[in-house]
Each structure stands twice: as structure tokens, then as C-alpha cells.
Amino acid sequence: MGTAPPSGSVKAGKMPEGEKMRQCKQEEEQQQKEEEREGLIEFYSSYQELFQFFCSNTTIHGAIRLVCSKKNKMKTAFWSVLFFLTFGLMYWQFGILYREYFSYPVNLNLNLNSDRLTFPAVTLCTLNPYRYSAIRKQLDKLDEITHQTLLDLYDYNMSLPQRDWSTSSSQRRSSRSLLHHIQRHPLRRQKRDNLVNLPENSPSVDKNDWKIGFVLCNENNDCFHQAYSSGVDAVREWYSFHYINILAQVPDAKALDESDFENFIYACRFNEATCDKANYTHFHHPLYGNCYTFNDNSSSVWTSSMPGINNGLSLVVRTEQNDFIPLLSTVTGARVMVHDQNEPAFMDDGGFNVRPGIETSISMRKEITERLGGSYSDCTEDGSDVPVQNLYSSRYTEQVCIRSCFQLNMVERCGCAYYFYPLPRRAEYCDYTKHKAWGYCYYKLLAEFKADVLGCFHKCRKPCKMTEYQLSAGYSRWPSAVSEDWVFYMLSQQNKYNITSKRNGVAKVNIFFKEWNYKTNGESPAFTVVTLLSQLGNQWSLWFGSSVLSVMELAELVLDFIAITFILGFRWFRSRQKLPAAVPPMNSQDNAAFQDEAPALRAPHRFTVEAVVTTLPSYNSLEPRGPSRDGEEGHE
């Protein structure tokens, strides 16, 4: 008979099932805490845990309400809608701020400065082209043909001065060639558009119902009628077209230089000092004749010591039209333009006329404009980034670029250059003795240029810095009735003044600074990076009452969300890969009869048996107590 275990060891082995489960759970939690302490990077196990932690610990206002009110679904829904609506409104404001920033607005700064001013360059032209000796015979022939044309069209007998019509054989050939080309481009009348169905020379058509112009044709005899509503404009344009062809035939432009400064400018004075030839440069304009530019030398420019009429430029100029070409210019006087140094004088754009017998006083006020380049405006510093070659020997201006663009297109399309603009390299001026259809090409190209088909107005950008002069003029009679006798007498003694019509032969021009103050128009960025950050911070504080660290918390939430998504996706992908390995293949044999029953080749099965200790009751407590117990023990 076996001996029962001692009561003490039986009590020690007794353990309730619930206590054992609790102990195992505590051991698992302790092991999990140890694993968490050992981890370098901690990730949340679910999205719910991530957002709950964020809403409970973030410094963004209102986020805690999403957690505190989770037992009340109505409040949770309300605060969720309010929270995300606030986010949407804030980022809508952010979009407005970013759009304003990337539009690059500017502030206009007006500054009034006071200092001694550099006097600008002044260009003065005779306003009438001169009848140069190199082309005198051809111009006389052109006048003769024009006389006959006006007689045929308008029954006008234009008086021609007496000329020496004795010509050499070469000049006669040149005259016949000129007549041939003029006959190819005749001046004609054309009915207006609403009368185009009427027959020619209809008696019901009045002279006022005609348009006048000239015909231009190309090599394929494709012609069009360059018409004008005014006969004066048509005659001047037709005469100018043939005049330019005559000028282009002169091989050397210096042959036209017949400048006579002293016969045009009788008196020149600047800042109470007399001017000399070192203070001006001369150039020839096809329509405005001889032109003189004062103070164009950048090495020794004039400086005004004081404002006022006595401290500027004063000129007495001759305005007599002797031996000029009346069909090119219909006005008398002189043309003046004020411009900056190292800039060409475009007399058509910025010039104005000086009347004979009048003293014209022009007061100036300097104005400087400085634009921001880069993203703030489409301006250029020096024109190097403009896709147009500068044909002028001067610095970049918008008008320089536009004219260069037209001239380059003229050379490319028509094969020759227009006489009014500088000559590009390896090109020649248009002349209908060499380029028969250049007139047709020119007027077609001019129409495209004005309609901006050539793109010159888009290619040529404004300079970032430019200087302009605001002008205001005053007029008075000069000389006066009581002083004209002695003034004209002094001019006749000193300047060989022998004009019969005294008052229509001279004019006086005064150009001076009105004051020393000059205005500077500058630009500054209206929305800088500092302003953008300040506005973004204001919007963030308005809607959420938080700071930059709150933005970092939001960025951390986004990164954690991405990391959890990646981890969960990786786990799902791994579980999908392990699932086919756990399922037995379809072709496996389940019948035990086909199994290998050799015990030596089969691995023994292993079973895990959990020992369950059951405490047996103590039967000694049922026996009577007494001495016989010892006997039994001894017997045992």
C-alpha cells in the first residue's frame, strides 16, 4: 500500500485556475513592456490609437473635444465637422495668400530728390530735306514727273524753279531709268468702296468720291493699291517712296553730308557761355534734313548750375526754306527733341516743331523710372536677354529694339534694308533698280508690323531703368515789333543774314530745367517671404490658436499615418504569402493505406501533455485516533 504524500507538500501544490491565468497574463504584460522598452522606434498598432493619442496630446485647439466627447456621438460628429471645416477654411485662406505672393505685386515708391542735374541731349533738325548736289539731277527729274502727274490728276500746274537742264549721257540714262520705275509705280485715283461698281470716268462721280494712291506689284504681278483718303498724304508718300530709292542709289552716305552749321544756327549759348562745334554732332535724316545733336558727348556733358531760362540752352535758328524739297515737307520751322545721352533721336516719336518768328521756351523736369526685374516685371537690364539684335550704336531702349526688329524682318523677307533704319551686316538698302518688288514687300510687311503679326512689340521689353523728361512749352513773338529792326541788322552783319521775309526766316529756342527737384519712381516688393510667413501665422492662430510647433505636430501625424499604413500593408502582404503554404496541396494522398508504415523511417510523433495536479483527500482524517496508529505504522 502506498504512502500518502505529506499534507504540507499537498498544500504547496494547490493553485486555483483563475490565479494561474492571472499570473500568466501578468508575465505576458511584463514581457511586452520589456519589449517596448527595448524598441528604438515606436509605432501605433492602429489608426484609432494614433488619432486618439494625437487628439489627446496636441496643442491645436479643439482637437481634444474629439476624444472627450466620444461617448456622445452627436457631440463627436459636431466637433468633427467643425474641426475639418475650420481646416478647410484655413487652407482656403492659405491658397489666397500663396496666389497673391506668386503674383509678385509691387509697391510704387515716389521720391523727390534735389541735386545738380546733368543736362540732356538736344537734337534740332531743319524740318526739310535738302536738295543735295549728288542727287540734284534725279530730284529735278522726279519733280518734273510729279508736276505732270498733278496736272493730269488735279489740273494743277505746279511751278518749278528754273533748272539747268543740260545733262550728260549718263544722267540721261539715269533719268530714263527713273522714268521707267516711276511708270511701274504710278500715282492713280481709285473709286471709294461704296462706288466701286461705277464705271471709270463716270460723270456722276465727284472728285471727292475718289481715293488716290499708287500701285505696287511683286515678281508674280500680284499688285495692290496703296490708297489714301487725302490727296496730300498720297502725293507725299508717293514722292517719298521714289525719293528713298534715289537716296539708296548713292553708294556713300557721306556724299550727302553738306552740313552748314553756321547757316542754320545763328547763335548758340549754354549756361551763359557760347557753344562751339565740339558741343554737337551731325547726322542726316531722310525727311527732316540736317540734324544737330547738342551735348551728346558722354565724356564732357553739360551740367546745369542753376535752374531757369538763363542757365539752359538758347538757340537762334534759321527757318528759311531755300533750295529745299516742298513735296516732302509741308511745314516750316525746325524740329526739336530732348532725350538722354547715348540714346538715338527718333524725331517722329518725341519731337515737336518750332514756329518761325516765335521764341519757344521749353522747361524740363527730369523723371527716373526704376522697375524690379526678375519675376516682378518683364523688363530687361541691358537688352542682352532680348531675342532681337541691336542695330543702333547706342544703349538699349524699347524703340531701338522695335526698329531693329522691323529692319531684321525686312532683310529676311524682302532681301534688302529700309533706308530709314541702320543697315545690318552683309545687307544693302532697298532700291528698285536692284530689288524691283521691295515696295510691295515693304508695305505688306508694314501692315503686319502694325498688327503685331511679327511679334516685335512682344519681343521688345521695357528697360528696367529709364530716364524721361517732362516738357512744358511757352510761346512769345520774337523779335518784338520795336526790336526787330536792330536784331535783324545785327544778324545780317554777323551771320550774313539776308532773308527777305524777316519774321518767317528765324526762330529762337530756350531749353532749361524748371527746378532742381527731380522725381524717382521706384518699385519694391509688396509681398515678401517675411510678409507671407506673417500672414500664414496670423491665419493659423486665428483658426486654431497654435504655433509653429503645432504645425510640426501635424507633420508628425502625417508621417506616422504613412508609416502605419506601410507597416499594415506589409503585414497584410506577408500574411497573404504564408496562407497558401498552410493549406495542403490538392494532389496530396489522405488514405493511410498509401502511407509509408515503416517505423524506422518515420519520425516519432511528439505530443505536448500539460500536467494537471489534482490534490487527493486525506483519508487519515477518517481513521480513529489512538495508540493502534503506531502499530499500523510499524506494520506498514
Side-chain angles (χ1 to χ4, degrees):
M1 184 176 181
T3 306
S7 60
S9 62
V10 173
K11 290 181 180 180
K14 181 180 179 181
M15 183 181 295
E17 184 70 21
E19 183 177 355
K20 182 180 178 182
M21 296 293 292
R22 185 168 54 252
Q23 183 178 358
C24 293
K25 186 175 182 181
Q26 290 177 356
E27 291 177 357
E28 291 178 358
E29 291 179 353
Q30 184 177 1
Q31 184 179 2
Q32 184 178 0
K33 290 181 179 179
E34 291 177 357
E35 291 178 356
E36 291 178 354
R37 284 196 300 267
E38 294 176 357
L40 180 62
I41 300 177
E42 176 185 358
F43 290 106
Y44 304 95
S45 60
S46 64
Y47 294 114
Q48 181 181 2
E49 183 181 353
L50 170 65
F51 286 108
Q52 185 174 358
F53 177 83
F54 175 78
C55 295
S56 301
N57 297 277
T58 184
T59 58
I60 299 177
H61 292 186
I64 191 63
R65 302 293 298 175
L66 301 176
V67 179
C68 294
S69 58
K70 64 181 180 179
K71 295 183 179 180
N72 190 331
K73 294 184 178 181
M74 181 178 294
K75 286 187 176 181
T76 303
F78 170 76
W79 279 100
S80 298
V81 172
L82 184 61
F83 187 81
F84 289 106
L85 178 62
T86 305
F87 253 102
L89 291 174
M90 183 187 68
Y91 281 102
W92 173 61
Q93 293 292 328
F94 281 2
I96 295 176
L97 292 176
Y98 278 113
R99 183 178 61 184
E100 183 178 359
Y101 173 76
F102 286 107
S103 65
Y104 299 103
V106 296
N107 291 326
L108 181 61
N109 305 321
L110 301 179
N111 298 322
L112 193 63
N113 307 297
S114 180
D115 197 1
R116 295 185 63 183
L117 298 176
T118 300
F119 202 80
V122 178
T123 299
L124 188 72
C125 296
T126 59
L127 201 58
N128 284 282
Y130 189 71
R131 192 177 296 271
Y132 298 101
S133 59
I135 55 176
R136 184 181 298 274
K137 295 297 182 180
Q138 291 176 299
L139 291 179
D140 291 343
K141 185 62 177 179
L142 179 60
D143 289 346
E144 182 183 356
I145 298 173
T146 306
H147 171 268
Q148 185 62 40
T149 302
L150 294 179
L151 185 63
D152 296 339
L153 293 178
Y154 292 99
D155 296 331
Y156 173 70
N157 189 6
M158 184 179 69
S159 60
L160 295 176
Q162 293 295 327
R163 306 292 185 189
D164 183 12
W165 300 107
S166 59
T167 57
S168 62
S169 59
S170 61
Q171 292 175 344
R172 285 194 297 269
R173 286 194 301 268
S174 177
S175 298
R176 286 194 299 267
S177 176
L178 177 63
L179 178 61
H180 169 71
H181 290 293
I182 292 177
Q183 289 175 350
R184 291 187 66 251
H185 306 88
L187 191 65
R188 294 177 179 177
R189 286 186 300 180
Q190 184 184 26
K191 290 186 281 296
R192 296 186 183 274
D193 297 336
N194 56 349
L195 302 173
V196 70
N197 295 324
L198 293 177
E200 298 235 358
N201 300 323
S202 175
S204 61
V205 179
D206 189 72
K207 290 183 179 180
N208 296 327
D209 297 325
W210 292 89
K211 291 191 297 185
I212 188 170
F214 51 98
V215 179
L216 297 164
C217 302
N218 60 3
E219 294 87 347
N220 300 325
N221 291 326
D222 181 17
C223 304
F224 76 97
H225 196 263
Q226 183 70 18
Y228 300 87
S229 59
S230 171
V232 175
D233 295 337
V235 172
R236 290 184 65 243
E237 186 68 21
W238 176 77
Y239 191 95
S240 176
F241 173 72
H242 295 290
Y243 174 71
I244 292 172
N245 281 276
I246 294 174
L247 291 178
Q249 296 174 19
V250 179
D252 188 6
K254 293 182 179 180
L256 300 177
D257 190 2
E258 298 179 7
S259 171
D260 193 353
F261 177 80
E262 296 177 352
N263 280 340
F264 174 58
I265 299 178
Y266 291 148
C268 176
R269 181 172 53 88
F270 175 77
N271 203 12
E272 302 294 341
T274 303
C275 311
D276 54 19
K277 293 184 179 180
N279 301 124
Y280 76 89
T281 57
H282 168 262
F283 68 93
H284 170 260
H285 192 278
L287 295 182
Y288 297 111
N290 291 321
C291 298
Y292 305 90
T293 301
F294 297 88
N295 195 33
D296 195 27
N297 190 357
S298 58
S299 60
S300 58
V301 295
W302 292 338
T303 303
S304 293
S305 57
M306 293 286 290
I309 192 171
N310 294 324
N311 299 284
L313 178 64
S314 180
L315 300 170
V316 177
V317 298
R318 174 189 177 187
T319 58
E320 182 190 16
Q321 294 180 331
N322 185 23
D323 204 22
F324 286 96
I325 305 175
L327 290 171
L328 284 181
S329 179
T330 57
V331 296
T332 182
R335 192 166 183 86
V336 180
M337 180 180 178
V338 177
H339 54 95
D340 203 16
Q341 277 83 14
N342 199 22
E343 289 184 4
F346 298 118
M347 307 303 293
D348 295 331
D349 298 339
F352 57 92
N353 296 338
V354 175
R355 296 171 55 189
I358 298 297
E359 180 179 8
T360 305
S361 298
I362 304 169
S363 61
M364 303 180 299
R365 187 168 185 178
K366 188 176 181 180
E367 185 172 336
I368 300 175
T369 302
E370 296 178 351
R371 299 180 179 89
L372 289 176
S375 303
Y376 291 95
S377 66
D378 190 26
C379 69
T380 177
E381 293 291 341
D382 54 1
S384 58
D385 55 344
V386 175
V388 177
Q389 179 186 356
N390 186 359
L391 300 179
Y392 290 81
S393 58
S394 64
R395 67 184 179 189
Y396 176 88
T397 64
E398 189 176 13
Q399 291 299 323
V400 164
C401 177
I402 290 175
R403 282 166 169 78
S404 299
C405 178
F406 177 82
Q407 184 74 306
L408 293 173
N409 281 276
M410 182 76 183
V411 173
E412 180 181 357
R413 294 269 296 271
C414 305
C416 57
Y418 189 50
Y419 190 80
F420 278 51
Y421 302 144
L423 188 66
R425 185 176 300 178
R426 294 187 298 274
E428 58 182 358
Y429 284 120
C430 293
D431 170 19
Y432 47 39
T433 61
K434 300 178 182 178
H435 314 89
K436 295 182 179 181
W438 83 266
Y440 176 91
C441 181
Y442 165 73
Y443 284 102
K444 288 289 188 182
L445 189 68
L446 184 62
E448 296 180 6
F449 170 75
K450 293 180 179 179
D452 200 23
V453 178
L454 304 179
C456 293
F457 298 101
H458 292 288
K459 295 178 183 177
C460 298
R461 309 199 303 266
K462 294 182 179 295
C464 293
K465 184 177 182 180
M466 56 186 302
T467 302
E468 297 176 321
Y469 296 92
Q470 305 298 328
L471 308 179
S472 58
Y475 305 94
S476 61
R477 182 178 178 179
W478 186 88
S480 62
V482 297
S483 61
E484 61 180 5
D485 292 337
W486 76 267
V487 170
F488 290 140
Y489 178 79
M490 296 297 296
L491 289 176
S492 64
Q493 295 296 317
Q494 184 178 358
N495 302 95
K496 299 179 181 180
Y497 178 80
N498 55 2
I499 303 175
T500 55
S501 55
K502 297 180 180 179
R503 184 164 299 283
N504 293 331
V506 291
K508 188 175 182 179
V509 183
N510 300 313
I511 304 174
F512 57 92
F513 278 113
K514 184 178 181 179
E515 55 186 9
W516 272 357
N517 296 331
Y518 66 95
K519 185 170 64 172
T520 302
N521 302 322
E523 291 180 349
S524 61
F527 212 81
T528 61
V529 177
V530 177
T531 307
L532 176 64
L533 294 178
S534 176
Q535 294 292 334
L536 292 177
N538 292 338
Q539 292 295 327
W540 187 272
S541 300
L542 172 65
W543 296 104
F544 289 101
S546 51
S547 63
V548 177
L549 297 180
S550 303
V551 179
M552 299 305 298
E553 292 176 0
L554 191 62
E556 183 185 20
L557 173 66
V558 174
L559 294 177
D560 290 344
F561 182 85
I562 296 174
I564 291 178
T565 303
F566 177 77
I567 293 174
L568 294 179
F570 180 74
R571 288 179 179 176
W572 177 83
F573 180 74
R574 290 290 301 273
S575 65
R576 295 284 294 179
Q577 285 185 337
K578 291 181 179 180
L579 184 60
V583 179
M586 297 297 296
N587 57 356
S588 61
Q589 298 177 358
D590 297 333
N591 194 341
F594 296 95
Q595 301 290 334
D596 187 7
E597 297 180 356
L601 300 177
R602 296 180 60 184
H605 293 285
R606 294 182 180 180
F607 298 93
T608 302
V609 179
E610 183 180 357
V612 179
V613 181
T614 305
T615 306
L616 298 177
S618 178
Y619 294 99
N620 293 333
S621 61
L622 301 177
E623 297 179 357
R625 299 178 183 272
S628 62
R629 179 178 176 83
D630 296 335
E632 289 182 1
E633 290 179 356
H635 177 72
E636 291 175 355

